[in-house]
Amino acid sequence: MKRTTLYATLSLTLAAGAWLGMPRTAEACGGTFCDAGPVPMPVDQSGENILFVMRPGEVEVHIQIQYEGDAERFGWVIPVQSLPEVSVGSDPLFRNLLDGSVPMYGFTTQRDDCRAPGEFDNAGEGQTSGGGWGDDGDGDPGQGPPDILLQETVGAFDIVVLDGQSVEQVVTWLEENDYQTDPAAEPILQEYLDEGHLFAAVRLTGGADTDEIHPIVLKFQSDEPCVPLRLTAIAATEDMDVRTFFLGDSRVVPMSYKHVLVNPLKIDWINRASNYKEVITMAVDADQANGRAFVTEYAGPSGVVSEAGVHSPSWQPAAFVGIEPTQVVDLLTQQGLYICDFDWGNGCGGLHPLVQPILDEFLPLPAGLTRDEFYGDLEQHADLIDLERWDAQGFADALAQRIVEPGQNAVELLRRNPYLTRMYTTISPHEMTEDPMFHANADLPEVENLRNATQRILCDGASVWTLPDGREVFVPAGEPWPEFEGEMPWEAEVQETPAAGAPMMLVDNNELIDQQLAAWNAQHGWDGSSDGGGSGGIDDASGGGCACTVESPAQGAWWALAFTLGFGLWARRRPLPRA
């Protein structure tokens, strides 16, 4: 038989649409986002990824924001359970998390030997054809200004942590500091105040541009991580994407939300899961899941996350102290942080997403020149360098604080935490009545992110697909993947996942799925002559999935991959002769 292995991975959009607050045990959390401006307006925020690092009594939260819009309109309010320790996070860490754990649907193609007796050629059984991967006073309580518990600059952000006695205090402070709020959010803000939350107000420092936005890290005293969604309901889109990552010693599962295993027959294997989001959406909206459930996309060793580009010993900020500005690009190139690649037509750019923004801050591009012209030959344009903006010590400090130290910390996190869990769901505003919380369960098995089926092409052109769980699906020649309309459910199982032991089954559709599959195959004349059947949805048997593509950079395209991640935040913001 000929065999062809084919995978496609598509980097799904994350839509956290929410911010991180760390709860006390059995408490909820939440968040909001707002910007400054004369009238309320949607914020064009292209994404957010959330990573939790779990330790006894403490949760460390890494939040990656991707925002498009005016820098002066960028503002962010995060409800927090207690006074956080705030630091700069690593963009390359998130890039590698997405790359390393992305679910991949693929298949190996086998062709039946349909030659007449005595006929020989080079396309015999066992040969392989093609293949590849795709994939935040004085007087009567609540009347004065809120207490300011923390005020500091972290990387490109100014951060203020507020302790308010009332919604009026918090809203007044935000408005007086050019944050604009939505009256519809006030009852939800009151819920967070009643639960004892503080509020961290975050905005870009004066003069900083949006390309300087970087992840932030918050450390809280807490027992369970939580993704706040309640405030997001104000302006969230339907079926908004939410993705979370967890680093620790074992697998993490939902505590306050249900856990779903999707029906693998609903995945379009022929087109490598191009309908993935629809499958997840329908599965988590099913009976007993009720729109508040997660699917596990990967659970296993954190070694799938590469350290490449996260940190390098060659990155030495101190080397920039005292140097002439004309030497900066050469030294950055020597340290592997910058490149001017004219041979491949890529020009000049940073090998870390924050290098160019730091250059723009301390060594800005003169008017009338292109980036390639200026940074490609600083010596030639020495007389155009803005010496008032150049600060060697400031440049070195920015490299250390925004690139080197976050990279070192990220590598240490990956090495200290052997297990990674990645979960995904879609959720609509009317379902955002409860914040999802999570806990570890060391008794549950790993979930692979590689899902490989086998397509057996029969002599009449029809095919039989054997899925990772052993089920066989007959597909007539020239037809797409079956839709299995009618009684075929989207979800294989709906579970409650405790902190220890096996999941508690709320819905088990595996028998119904097998019955419907048998009826489909019999209807089309496939007698299942090879062993088939099976049970178990995509997750603990073969993992969750993703209908997306993560492509490697083209040769010469040395800059980091950009991930477009959408979410709704609110603002003012796919024969043998048969018998």
Side-chain angles (χ1 to χ4, degrees):
M1 295 183 183
K2 294 182 179 180
R3 299 175 182 266
T4 302
T5 302
L6 181 60
Y7 279 92
T9 62
L10 301 165
S11 68
L12 280 178
T13 61
L14 161 74
W19 300 257
L20 280 295
M22 304 317 305
R24 300 186 186 102
T25 301
E27 289 187 345
C29 53
T32 181
F33 185 95
C34 56
D35 71 335
V39 294
M41 62 176 292
V43 172
D44 184 8
Q45 171 134 14
S46 56
E48 174 177 306
N49 288 302
I50 305 171
L51 165 66
F52 298 92
V53 182
M54 302 179 64
R55 304 186 184 96
E58 180 185 79
V59 177
E60 181 176 314
V61 186
H62 296 237
I63 313 171
Q64 182 193 48
I65 292 291
Q66 293 185 345
Y67 166 82
E68 296 175 3
D70 296 334
E72 62 271 18
R73 299 185 67 82
F74 179 85
W76 189 15
V77 177
I78 312 170
V80 292
Q81 175 57 41
S82 59
L83 187 63
E85 178 183 331
V86 188
S87 58
V88 177
S90 169
D91 263 309
L93 172 62
F94 278 100
R95 182 186 69 227
N96 291 1
L97 278 169
L98 288 160
D99 278 354
S101 62
V102 61
M104 294 181 284
Y105 282 85
F107 57 88
T108 298
T109 297
Q110 302 174 352
R111 296 180 182 274
D112 280 1
D113 187 352
C114 303
R115 297 169 298 175
E119 179 183 353
F120 298 96
D121 58 26
N122 292 326
E125 181 177 342
Q127 290 193 348
T128 302
S129 63
W133 293 88
D135 315 273
D136 195 98
D138 296 330
D140 294 334
Q143 298 304 310
D147 293 333
I148 295 179
L149 305 183
L150 176 70
Q151 187 167 4
E152 64 177 330
T153 298
V154 177
F157 295 123
D158 288 330
I159 299 175
V160 178
V161 178
L162 310 171
D163 184 4
Q165 299 297 315
S166 69
V167 169
E168 290 77 11
Q169 279 188 335
V170 175
V171 170
T172 298
W173 187 92
L174 292 172
E175 291 177 346
E176 289 177 350
N177 288 271
D178 294 328
Y179 291 79
Q180 294 189 19
T181 58
D182 189 325
E186 294 183 10
I188 307 174
L189 288 170
Q190 186 64 57
E191 292 180 15
Y192 291 112
L193 286 173
D194 292 344
E195 293 161 5
H197 285 77
L198 310 174
F199 293 94
V202 183
R203 66 185 322 124
L204 285 167
T205 60
D209 208 345
T210 55
D211 61 355
E212 297 179 57
I213 292 175
H214 53 72
I216 64 170
V217 181
L218 303 96
K219 294 182 182 179
F220 300 86
Q221 297 301 310
S222 177
D223 294 318
E224 294 95 9
C226 163
V227 177
L229 289 176
R230 285 175 287 173
L231 277 171
T232 309
I234 296 170
T237 59
E238 291 293 310
D239 299 324
M240 186 186 75
D241 302 308
V242 178
R243 176 166 287 112
T244 55
F245 299 88
F246 303 83
L247 280 172
D249 295 322
S250 61
R251 182 172 165 181
V252 174
V253 292
M255 180 174 73
S256 57
Y257 276 37
K258 302 301 188 291
H259 186 248
V260 171
L261 280 64
V262 305
N263 178 358
L265 273 63
K266 285 293 192 177
I267 295 290
D268 185 348
W269 290 85
I270 293 177
N271 290 302
R272 297 170 300 279
S274 61
N275 65 335
Y276 177 71
K277 180 173 179 177
E278 178 190 12
V279 175
I280 298 299
T281 298
M282 298 300 294
V284 300
D285 283 346
D287 185 39
Q288 297 295 313
N290 302 324
R292 290 182 288 276
F294 279 83
V295 170
T296 300
E297 295 187 313
Y298 173 78
S302 61
V304 298
V305 182
S306 172
E307 296 179 6
V310 178
H311 176 68
S312 171
S314 66
W315 300 352
Q316 297 293 328
F320 292 87
V321 177
I323 69 169
E324 294 298 322
T326 54
Q327 301 173 282
V328 171
V329 168
D330 288 342
L331 187 50
L332 286 171
T333 301
Q334 292 171 22
Q335 295 191 8
L337 283 166
Y338 203 82
I339 188 171
C340 286
D341 178 16
F342 299 113
D343 291 338
W344 289 96
N346 291 307
C348 295
L351 296 177
H352 184 288
L354 291 181
V355 169
Q356 189 62 56
I358 295 174
L359 270 176
D360 293 340
E361 179 180 352
F362 292 93
L363 206 59
L365 180 67
L369 291 180
T370 66
R371 176 180 293 179
D372 295 347
E373 291 170 340
F374 183 59
Y375 297 109
D377 194 343
L378 287 175
E379 196 73 51
Q380 180 180 343
H381 302 99
D383 58 330
L384 298 178
I385 292 175
D386 187 345
L387 297 179
E388 292 185 1
R389 295 279 295 274
W390 172 246
D391 177 356
Q393 183 66 60
F395 184 85
D397 291 343
L399 284 179
Q401 296 167 7
R402 304 185 197 180
I403 294 177
V404 179
E405 293 170 5
Q408 290 173 327
N409 295 335
V411 168
E412 290 176 7
L413 286 179
L414 292 174
R415 295 177 180 177
R416 289 200 312 260
N417 296 277
Y419 206 98
L420 172 68
T421 305
R422 167 176 172 153
M423 283 184 278
Y424 170 66
T425 192
T426 69
I427 189 166
S428 297
H430 69 278
E431 297 162 338
M432 298 178 183
T433 59
E434 183 180 2
D435 296 329
M437 300 174 64
F438 306 86
H439 52 200
N441 185 328
D443 298 328
L444 296 182
E446 295 181 359
V447 177
E448 295 286 345
N449 65 323
L450 307 182
R451 289 114 209 199
N452 190 40
T454 300
Q455 178 195 30
R456 176 185 173 189
I457 300 179
L458 309 181
C459 292
D460 62 359
S463 61
V464 175
W465 291 71
T466 303
L467 305 188
D469 62 8
R471 290 185 170 105
E472 291 185 346
V473 181
F474 178 83
V475 179
E479 293 192 11
W481 187 258
E483 293 188 6
F484 297 110
E485 297 177 346
E487 297 184 26
M488 180 66 76
W490 295 86
E491 77 287 7
E493 299 176 13
V494 179
Q495 310 167 336
E496 285 186 349
T497 45
M504 294 178 286
M505 195 76 68
L506 301 178
V507 177
D508 186 348
N509 287 320
N510 286 295
E511 183 177 352
L512 175 60
I513 292 170
D514 289 339
Q515 292 172 353
Q516 295 298 313
L517 176 59
W520 165 270
N521 288 339
Q523 176 186 351
H524 292 85
W526 176 249
D527 59 8
S529 57
S530 60
D531 292 337
S535 64
I538 294 180
D539 183 0
D540 294 331
S542 59
C546 160
C548 46
T549 297
V550 175
E551 299 178 350
S552 298
Q555 187 176 19
W558 28 257
W559 44 79
L561 290 175
F563 293 89
T564 302
L565 310 157
F567 72 105
L569 303 179
W570 67 275
R572 214 186 261 214
R573 46 147 199 88
R574 168 141 54 198
L576 290 175
R578 300 184 298 282

